[in-house]
Amino acid sequence: MWLAASGSSGVALRATNPGVGRWLGPHADGRGRAVQMADLTVDVAVVGGGPAGYVMAALLGRSEHSVALVDPKPEGAWPNNYGSWREEWEALAASLQMPELLDCVSTNWAVTDCFFGGSFDTPDDERLRLDRAYLKVDRLRLKALLREKHAATGVQLLEGYAPAAAIAPNLFDGGLVHDASGSTLTVKASGGGGGGDVRVRAKLVVDATGFESKLTVRESPAAGGLWKELAPGYQIAYGMCVDVAGDKLAPYDASAMTLFDYRTDHLVGSDLLADAEERPSFVYVMPSGEGGCDGCGTSAFFEETSLVGRGERRLEFETLKQRLIKRLAFHGITYGEASVREEEYCYIPMGGQLPDRTQRVVPIGGAANTVHPATGYQLCRMLASSTGVAAALSAELSKGDGFDPDAAAAAAHASLWPASNRLQRDFAVFGGEFLGSQPVEILRGFFGAFFALEQPVWGGFLAGWPGLPGNENHATWLARVRFGITIALKFPPKVAATFVAYLAAFTAAYGPLILKSIFTPVFEIGVGAPPPPPRRWGG
């Protein structure tokens, strides 16, 4: 195992303790309590090498806390392309106090286009133009920026992974042990770096390993206000970046980001049409300037996406790839096979149960369910949630001898999912369930009405997190009632009837989750009630 200061230009230290990975006997902390000896002692161990882990390490390091960041592939590029509304990215640069985020952008588009033609008398070629700027995040620059911040604040990068798996809240099958003053985490080497296991002693452990984490335990359906389990749905997408031959990008505008194209005219006469109408997918298009070959006009990233699905409605990568190829061919968009690059196979869990609030491990990002349950938006919501979690942890860590790891974890959980956030999320969960169960005709009608709302209203729903633009239009029960009535009045009659029928069916199956979200004063709220007292460990 190699330990290196993040961004240290390859300077590395090998763990030298010959007892790494074994019990080294009791060792007293400053208050005389027995803890395990360690190869590395820090305030916080952040586990996970994606944007969530890197941001949390940067924020805690900036607050002068010692941090170890566990990343199995520190030299690897983050695999997914990230997009954001320009307004949200600028708000995050300000709230995170990282103006350099504005330099972590590869492409800007002044406007955003959608196509919902083919239903409710909307012509196939009708373009809905949204006067709102969009951008593509430069994920290489973003990671480099955060590594620079790590280096400046002494964050220690461990190339490895944490093998521990939770079997109950605060109980693991090995590799992570809590005690009264902190936690001891075992990190196994990855990447062929050599060396043995490294034992990290930390006051707190932050889990940034994603939704399917083995470190974070989920609460029960009853604790989430459900009558039975509501399993997560999945956003599935296949994408590729290509150099388009000539200037033929139409019907897509090279100066615009295309957010949705839900048309199926390219499949008429094929055996793929019926499935595409029942299990819809859309393409989004990110043109990015001139291509890199002779005769190329525009380079563009195309991604065929299933918004959300579960079980039989969950689409397959190969199906999405076939639909995308047919879509491009139908529109006369051609490209050389040699120009295909950045093939992306995207898999985003959405919804599901929130983290158990009694656990000592603090989740962030996907592990904390910050993915928008109706849209799949993640990066901006994760960044927006990180500031509150980092501030909560920093405040507790600054208490010195009065530090209590259980109180610190409870403060972080409260920052992530207070009652207001949970109720707003419940509303979005229902939205995701509705959208994931509908044929393409209903989705076209729904989104046509959705984008006919005032921009701060639809923008706030897509953001859906405190501190992001427009969130005030959805953060209270009264705002959600107003939103629901306004969009329902814009629905085509068939969409409105389908929506009401689904609302009744969902409530009968899972309980009054959505009703509590929009008629909150009527209910004695169980969702979002104060968590039980944290479980104590020792003394």
Side-chain angles (χ1 to χ4, degrees):
M1 162 62 69
W2 292 89
L3 294 90
S6 178
S8 59
S9 302
V11 177
L13 300 173
R14 185 182 295 276
T16 57
N17 192 325
V20 168
R22 299 199 305 272
W23 170 248
L24 302 178
H27 171 73
D29 68 0
R31 286 176 281 178
R33 296 176 294 191
V35 300
Q36 294 186 47
M37 293 180 66
D39 302 292
L40 177 63
T41 299
V42 293
D43 291 331
V44 184
V46 179
V47 184
Y54 272 64
V55 168
M56 184 55 59
L59 293 176
L60 291 171
R62 186 173 68 185
S63 297
E64 300 184 351
H65 303 296
S66 57
V67 180
L69 174 62
V70 181
D71 182 354
K73 297 180 180 179
E75 301 307 321
W78 292 331
N80 294 334
N81 282 286
Y82 299 108
S84 170
W85 299 101
R86 178 82 188 182
E87 184 182 10
E88 290 184 16
W89 199 245
E90 291 174 345
L92 287 166
S95 64
L96 288 165
Q97 298 179 33
M98 290 187 189
E100 306 96 325
L101 285 181
L102 300 180
D103 298 324
C104 298
V105 175
S106 62
T107 313
N108 283 285
W109 300 277
V111 294
T112 305
D113 288 346
C114 300
F115 294 90
F116 301 122
S119 300
F120 305 110
D121 299 323
T122 302
D124 282 331
D125 60 355
E126 182 171 305
R127 181 192 312 270
L128 173 62
R129 173 148 290 180
L130 307 174
D131 188 19
R132 196 181 190 202
Y134 206 86
L135 60 81
K136 182 179 180 182
V137 176
D138 188 326
R139 60 192 191 274
L140 298 180
R141 287 186 190 176
L142 179 60
K143 186 172 184 178
L145 168 65
L146 295 172
R147 290 193 66 166
E148 289 173 5
K149 293 188 176 295
H150 295 170
T153 57
V155 172
Q156 297 195 68
L157 178 63
L158 281 68
E159 183 175 357
Y161 65 98
I167 56 179
N170 299 315
L171 185 62
F172 301 84
D173 63 359
L176 178 57
V177 178
H178 297 318
D179 54 52
S181 62
S183 305
T184 303
L185 176 74
T186 298
V187 177
K188 288 189 172 293
S190 64
D197 299 348
V198 169
R199 180 169 287 145
V200 180
R201 180 70 190 167
K203 294 178 181 178
L204 289 164
V205 174
V206 173
D207 177 15
T209 60
F211 179 85
E212 295 174 334
S213 167
K214 295 182 179 180
L215 299 177
T216 293
V217 175
R218 307 288 163 190
E219 66 184 11
S220 68
L226 293 165
W227 289 350
K228 65 179 181 179
E229 181 180 6
L230 184 59
Y234 296 87
Q235 184 169 113
I236 308 295
Y238 168 78
M240 60 180 179
C241 187
V242 301
D243 291 334
V244 177
D247 294 319
K248 176 57 176 170
L249 192 62
Y252 309 115
D253 188 335
S255 64
M257 158 70 182
T258 298
L259 185 64
F260 285 113
D261 181 355
Y262 259 120
R263 297 174 296 180
T264 53
D265 50 351
H266 60 292
L267 298 176
V268 172
S270 80
D271 56 3
L272 299 178
L273 179 61
D275 184 44
E277 291 179 335
E278 181 58 30
R279 299 192 304 163
S281 63
F282 63 92
V283 71
Y284 74 78
V285 184
M286 291 179 158
S288 55
E290 294 184 2
C293 63
D294 292 338
C296 294
T298 300
S299 176
F301 181 74
F302 299 91
E303 186 148 87
E304 190 79 23
T305 305
S306 166
L307 183 62
V308 59
R310 182 191 302 113
E312 294 180 353
R313 293 189 64 82
R314 176 174 161 179
L315 269 80
E316 309 79 21
F317 288 122
E318 185 57 34
T319 299
L320 292 166
K321 184 175 182 178
Q322 290 176 7
R323 291 183 187 178
L324 177 59
I325 291 171
K326 284 189 173 292
R327 189 188 296 270
L328 298 183
F330 176 80
H331 292 305
I333 299 172
T334 59
Y335 53 91
E337 290 295 327
S339 77
V340 177
R341 57 193 183 280
E342 287 191 44
E343 278 193 293
E344 181 173 294
Y345 294 85
C346 189
Y347 163 94
I348 303 175
M350 296 164 57
Q353 301 303 126
L354 292 177
D356 186 307
R357 292 170 288 172
T358 67
Q359 63 194 316
R360 176 84 67 81
V361 168
V362 175
I364 192 70
N369 296 68
T370 55
V371 175
H372 196 301
T375 67
Y377 276 120
Q378 156 68 345
L379 183 63
C380 289
R381 288 165 60 91
M382 178 277 292
L383 290 170
S385 68
S386 295
T387 54
V389 174
L393 295 181
S394 183
E396 295 294 325
L397 288 165
S398 298
K399 291 181 177 180
D401 289 342
F403 172 76
D404 181 336
D406 291 305
H413 286 294
S415 171
L416 271 168
W417 292 112
S420 56
N421 284 13
R422 293 169 70 91
L423 288 165
Q424 185 176 350
R425 179 183 185 268
D426 291 342
F427 189 81
V429 165
F430 169 77
E433 291 297 309
F434 172 74
L435 296 173
S437 65
Q438 300 307 313
V440 71
E441 178 189 29
I442 299 300
L443 293 186
R444 291 169 182 157
F446 177 91
F447 282 114
F450 179 80
F451 287 112
L453 299 170
E454 294 182 359
Q455 184 270 307
V457 177
W458 62 253
F461 182 85
L462 296 180
W465 197 271
L468 293 179
N471 188 67
E472 66 276 6
N473 294 296
H474 305 273
T476 66
W477 70 270
L478 186 58
R480 291 188 288 272
V481 169
R482 187 161 47 243
F483 168 78
I485 292 173
T486 304
I487 192 173
L489 292 174
K490 295 182 180 295
F491 283 155
K494 185 174 181 179
V495 175
T498 302
F499 186 87
V500 171
Y502 189 83
L503 174 62
F506 179 89
T507 301
Y510 295 101
L513 187 76
I514 180 65
L515 300 181
K516 287 182 179 180
S517 178
I518 57 178
F519 301 123
T520 305
V522 178
F523 290 85
E524 179 181 353
I525 302 174
V527 177
R535 199 168 302 178
R536 298 286 173 177
W537 293 87

